[in-house]
Every structure is written in structure tokens, then in C-alpha cells.
Amino acid sequence: LYDKDVFQEYFTEQLRSRLLANKADTYDFSKGAEMEMFFLQLLLQEHGVGFVSRMQRMIDDIESETARSTEASFKAWVSEQRLQLADSDTGDKHTATRRALAAVPKSLGVLALTKSVWPPT
């Protein structure tokens, strides 16, 4: 029983790393998720629903509409703010905001994830 728990904890942490890294990169997430789901099916057959439920919820969470819409909304907001500041002629009033927005990389992604599902970092 102890080895099974250790494997579950290690695998969950590694799954978290893979899911977040793959979501951040320009990676075909659907193919990676297919492989993760295949492996989870094998674990499900071997160890049951309780063993894989948290891992399944992690995959569902990162593929959810909420996660996608939050990321899209954030990118739209940053673009809109950059345009508004570029059009304004207020001098030094928005200098700090301009610097902060300039520091945000265009590749930055934002995900809204369920805290209880994901292992702590």
C-alpha cells in the first residue's frame, strides 16, 4: 500500500508539471492529453476510480471552457490596455502602467484552475 501511495503522489506531481508545461508551450495539447488519458485508463483498470479521480479532474480542469476563456480574456485585456495607453496623451501619468504592460510577454498564459484538484507546488 505504501508504494502505491508514493507512486500516486509522484505521478500526480509529474502530471501537473507536464500539463502546465504543455499548456504554456505551443504544443498540440490534445495529443498529449490523449496519451495521458490512455495511461489513466490503464491505472483505472489496475487500481480503481479512487486512484485516478484526482488526475482525471486535473486533465478535465485544464481543458475546461473556464480555463480557455480566462486565458483569452486576459490576452484581450492586455491588448486593449496597450492600445488605450498608446492612444492616450497623458504624459507621465501612465508611465508605470506602460512599463508594467510592456513587461508582460505576449506568450504569457493565464489559467483559472480548481485549487483542490491540483497538488501544491
Side-chain angles (χ1 to χ4, degrees), residues 9-99:
E9 188 66 31
Y10 178 77
F11 185 79
T12 303
E13 288 180 21
Q14 295 302 311
L15 178 63
R16 177 202 65 210
S17 296
R18 287 191 303 274
L19 290 174
L20 293 176
N22 291 343
K23 190 67 176 176
D25 294 339
T26 55
Y27 172 81
D28 186 359
F29 186 71
S30 61
K31 288 182 183 176
E34 280 181 35
M35 293 303 295
E36 298 293 357
M37 291 302 295
F38 175 75
F39 191 71
L40 287 182
Q41 289 298 322
L42 294 176
L43 289 174
L44 178 67
Q45 291 171 2
E46 187 69 29
H47 300 290
V49 174
F51 190 80
V52 299
S53 65
R54 184 177 185 188
M55 298 170 220
Q56 174 64 47
R57 288 184 298 162
M58 289 169 62
I59 292 173
D60 293 344
D61 197 27
I62 204 161
E63 290 182 324
S64 73
E65 186 61 36
T66 304
R68 280 188 245 137
S69 66
T70 302
E71 185 172 21
S73 296
F74 175 76
K75 289 184 179 194
W77 179 82
V78 169
S79 296
E80 179 183 317
Q81 294 300 312
R82 286 179 175 158
L83 288 173
Q84 286 178 0
L85 286 173
D87 291 343
S88 68
D89 272 341
T90 57
D92 292 331
K93 183 178 177 185
H94 296 294
T95 303
T97 307
R98 279 191 181 97
R99 281 192 209 133

